[in-house]
Amino acid sequence: MSKKPSKQKQKQKQKNKSSQVQVLKGKLEVTRSGMGYVVIDNGTGDVLVRPGDFMNALNGDIVRVKVVKENGRTGKKEGKITEVVTRRQTEFIGYVQLSTNFAFFVPDTDKPMPDLFIPLSSLNGAKHKDRVVARLVKWDKDDKKPVGEIINIMQPEDENDAAMKELLAQAGFPLFFSEDVLEEAERLPDVLDQEELKKRKDCRDILTFTIDPVDAKDFDDALSIRLLSNGIYEIGVHIADVSYYVEPDTELDEEAYKRATSVYLPDRVNPMLPERISNELCSLRPHEDKFTFSAIFQMNTKGEIKQYWLGRTAIHSNHRYTYEDVQEVIEKKEGKYADEILLLNDLAQRMRKKRFSKGAINFSSQEVRFKLDEKGKPIGIVVKESKEAHQLIEEFMLLANRTVAENIAKIQINKKGIPFPYRVHDQPDAEKLAPFMDFAKKYGHKFDLGSPESIARSFNSMLEAVRGKPEQHVLEQLGIRTMAKAVYTTENIGHYGLAFEHYCHFTSPIRRYPDVLVHRVLESVLQGKPAIDKKMEEKCKHSSDRERAAMECERAGNKYKQVEYMRDYLGEMFEGVVSGVSSFGFWVETVAHKCEGLVSLVSLSDYDDFRLVESDYSLVGSRSGRTFRMGDKVTIKVIAANLEKRQLDYEWVLGEEKSEKGKVKSQKGKK
């Protein structure tokens, strides 16, 4: 018979347990009420932090929290913040309050945070009640108030500029580079170092060109092509050698890592690197010698790779193409370097076909671009489609990315791979896939769940079958939503969507930090001294987080422009497509301008009581049986456009006659 432990021993055990102070690391999320929750990385549950226990942490900061109370039954924890590990946001938008001897900066935020103390010497010309951008300069544990400086005065009439800056600041992206960073960039030499040139493969006499959007200023990549004596073509994918200029542990490198990505808003780019690097030194501008990192392939006309070479190079771009220029050459089969463009296009299409036959999923992408006036106000909307010119560049970039990743994956030290930022995409989750498959079945599409490859084949046959049909957009959007998100990690699980076993980002180091990391690791391998970065996984996670923040910021910027554009159409009616449903209404995207707004359940209450049928992605009327299903065509009226909330409100309109442009001509029976 087992002996029960004595009460004294049990007490001692509990005492020992309680004396083990838990200090956890996570992200602080502050609610509007002022309460905080530290979200722990490993998913062990949030830690509640009361307003007086934040120390000097702000919303979004990565912090260490000491657990001071834990409910043994529910597992709920309460704690105090002991350290700020990383600040998410150091620049804020708000107002100046000026006194005789000092000033305060009052932030515009719905999340409680203290005002910044601004010494008069740090006002930089700001006056009382000016709207400004302030930078948090110092806030140590013992400081009563955080200290800041004014770095930019906003122009009251420029509403758009303030809105875009606010989006960036709230997402944790610095709006300006510090003097130290700019100075370091300015010190970099304009002229290519002759000693460095001797160490590189010289490709300057080979025909080379760039293909980019018409408004691009930073040219990350170039293609070169020449016919070799053996009848094989040598095709070079040349990438700006950012890692030559941006060295580890410099101010430039720290700033680039912090940002981790450029952010592309409708009227501006918030760059990862100063313009001195992104638009001058590293940009592969025409008729200039540049240092590059290259993947050079020998291929036959069938697109079969006979051999390849990776390494540092120097190039000289002969011509700068826009996508439109190249598309014209492809369609008309004439123009500057037409033979080379047509050959590259043929090879790209062969590679593309082969990729899809191996299980890559062929989601087509539609991008919306705003035509803006000089004040940034949208005056038109253009829908950009992926054409062969885009695919030409895409296929050669995918080839270079895959080849670099395959190369690194072979390297082993002590039977282990070296830390490397792979770009991975997980296989679909069966649970997420089930409702989508049921929905697709209603349109006659069946899915084979036998293997990840057969799921990809099912996706592709569905996407092929719906091309040009009314349900195309909705099935594509829902299909994308069922997919896992691509991330950076050292754990190479492959890229499901591209059907690649090994994949990384090598081709855009001007605008993505992981590409800089890839260049550094690749160079160390080529030198025969593979770099072992023990913090690589942490860098991957940070890069993935910043990428997600940038995407959300870009989405918010586009939404702002949609609302601003539709303000001019209040009271007007348009044809739209149901793009989403929820328990409180349904979203409609206008056919003419791809602007999404909400038709609330409240606005439908005169007509019927609707309930959500999740499995059918629809709302169903209890009396009328009327359904609003994703993909349905409807007529809507624009009733509200709230710029502050970035929100469009639509009203459903019955039986309308549509004009050619998607506007509604006459009202026949509005409910």
Short mmCIF file of all heavy atoms in Angstrom, two decimals, residues 11-23 66-67:
data_model
loop_
_atom_site.label_atom_id
_atom_site.label_comp_id
_atom_site.label_asym_id
_atom_site.label_seq_id
_atom_site.Cartn_x
_atom_site.Cartn_y
_atom_site.Cartn_z
N LYS A 11 3.01 20.86 1.61
CA LYS A 11 3.18 22.31 1.74
C LYS A 11 4.51 22.76 1.15
O LYS A 11 4.61 23.76 0.45
CB LYS A 11 3.10 22.72 3.21
CG LYS A 11 1.70 23.02 3.68
CD LYS A 11 1.73 23.51 5.12
CE LYS A 11 0.31 23.69 5.65
NZ LYS A 11 0.34 24.04 7.08
N GLN A 12 5.58 21.96 1.46
CA GLN A 12 6.92 22.28 0.96
C GLN A 12 6.94 22.24 -0.57
O GLN A 12 7.53 23.09 -1.22
CB GLN A 12 7.94 21.28 1.54
CG GLN A 12 9.40 21.62 1.22
CD GLN A 12 9.82 22.99 1.75
OE1 GLN A 12 9.50 23.38 2.88
NE2 GLN A 12 10.51 23.76 0.93
N LYS A 13 6.24 21.20 -1.13
CA LYS A 13 6.17 21.04 -2.59
C LYS A 13 5.53 22.27 -3.24
O LYS A 13 6.01 22.80 -4.22
CB LYS A 13 5.34 19.79 -2.91
CG LYS A 13 5.99 18.89 -3.94
CD LYS A 13 5.15 17.65 -4.15
CE LYS A 13 5.84 16.72 -5.13
NZ LYS A 13 5.03 15.53 -5.39
N GLN A 14 4.40 22.71 -2.62
CA GLN A 14 3.69 23.88 -3.14
C GLN A 14 4.55 25.14 -3.04
O GLN A 14 4.58 25.97 -3.94
CB GLN A 14 2.38 24.08 -2.39
CG GLN A 14 1.29 23.14 -2.89
CD GLN A 14 0.02 23.27 -2.08
OE1 GLN A 14 0.06 23.58 -0.88
NE2 GLN A 14 -1.11 23.03 -2.71
N LYS A 15 5.28 25.23 -1.90
CA LYS A 15 6.15 26.38 -1.68
C LYS A 15 7.25 26.43 -2.75
O LYS A 15 7.54 27.48 -3.33
CB LYS A 15 6.77 26.29 -0.28
CG LYS A 15 7.41 27.59 0.19
CD LYS A 15 7.96 27.42 1.58
CE LYS A 15 8.73 28.67 1.97
NZ LYS A 15 9.41 28.50 3.26
N ASN A 16 7.83 25.23 -3.03
CA ASN A 16 8.88 25.16 -4.06
C ASN A 16 8.33 25.57 -5.42
O ASN A 16 8.98 26.27 -6.19
CB ASN A 16 9.46 23.74 -4.15
CG ASN A 16 10.28 23.40 -2.92
OD1 ASN A 16 10.66 24.28 -2.16
ND2 ASN A 16 10.55 22.11 -2.73
N LYS A 17 7.10 25.08 -5.69
CA LYS A 17 6.47 25.37 -6.98
C LYS A 17 6.23 26.88 -7.14
O LYS A 17 6.52 27.47 -8.17
CB LYS A 17 5.14 24.62 -7.09
CG LYS A 17 4.63 24.54 -8.51
CD LYS A 17 3.34 23.75 -8.59
CE LYS A 17 2.80 23.74 -10.00
NZ LYS A 17 1.49 23.08 -10.10
N SER A 18 5.72 27.49 -6.05
CA SER A 18 5.41 28.93 -6.14
C SER A 18 6.67 29.78 -6.19
O SER A 18 6.66 30.90 -6.66
CB SER A 18 4.52 29.36 -4.97
OG SER A 18 5.25 29.19 -3.76
N SER A 19 7.79 29.22 -5.66
CA SER A 19 9.02 30.02 -5.67
C SER A 19 9.71 30.01 -7.04
O SER A 19 10.62 30.77 -7.28
CB SER A 19 10.00 29.50 -4.61
OG SER A 19 10.42 28.19 -4.95
N GLN A 20 9.22 29.10 -7.92
CA GLN A 20 9.79 29.10 -9.28
C GLN A 20 9.10 30.21 -10.09
O GLN A 20 8.03 30.00 -10.66
CB GLN A 20 9.55 27.74 -9.95
CG GLN A 20 10.38 26.62 -9.36
CD GLN A 20 9.95 25.26 -9.89
OE1 GLN A 20 9.00 25.14 -10.65
NE2 GLN A 20 10.66 24.23 -9.48
N VAL A 21 9.71 31.37 -10.11
CA VAL A 21 9.09 32.52 -10.79
C VAL A 21 9.17 32.32 -12.30
O VAL A 21 10.24 32.06 -12.85
CB VAL A 21 9.79 33.83 -10.39
CG1 VAL A 21 9.20 35.01 -11.16
CG2 VAL A 21 9.66 34.06 -8.90
N GLN A 22 8.01 32.40 -12.94
CA GLN A 22 7.96 32.26 -14.39
C GLN A 22 8.17 33.61 -15.05
O GLN A 22 7.43 34.56 -14.77
CB GLN A 22 6.58 31.73 -14.80
CG GLN A 22 6.51 30.23 -15.00
CD GLN A 22 5.15 29.88 -15.58
OE1 GLN A 22 4.12 30.19 -15.03
NE2 GLN A 22 5.16 29.23 -16.73
N VAL A 23 9.17 33.71 -15.92
CA VAL A 23 9.34 34.91 -16.73
C VAL A 23 9.18 34.48 -18.19
O VAL A 23 9.95 33.66 -18.68
CB VAL A 23 10.70 35.59 -16.50
CG1 VAL A 23 10.84 36.81 -17.41
CG2 VAL A 23 10.85 36.03 -15.05
N LYS A 66 6.76 38.84 -15.89
CA LYS A 66 6.89 37.95 -14.72
C LYS A 66 5.49 37.57 -14.26
O LYS A 66 4.65 38.44 -13.99
CB LYS A 66 7.65 38.67 -13.60
CG LYS A 66 7.86 37.80 -12.36
CD LYS A 66 8.83 38.45 -11.39
CE LYS A 66 8.13 39.51 -10.56
NZ LYS A 66 8.98 40.07 -9.51
N VAL A 67 5.21 36.27 -14.19
CA VAL A 67 3.90 35.79 -13.75
C VAL A 67 3.82 35.93 -12.23
O VAL A 67 4.64 35.36 -11.51
CB VAL A 67 3.66 34.33 -14.19
CG1 VAL A 67 2.31 33.83 -13.68
CG2 VAL A 67 3.72 34.21 -15.71
#
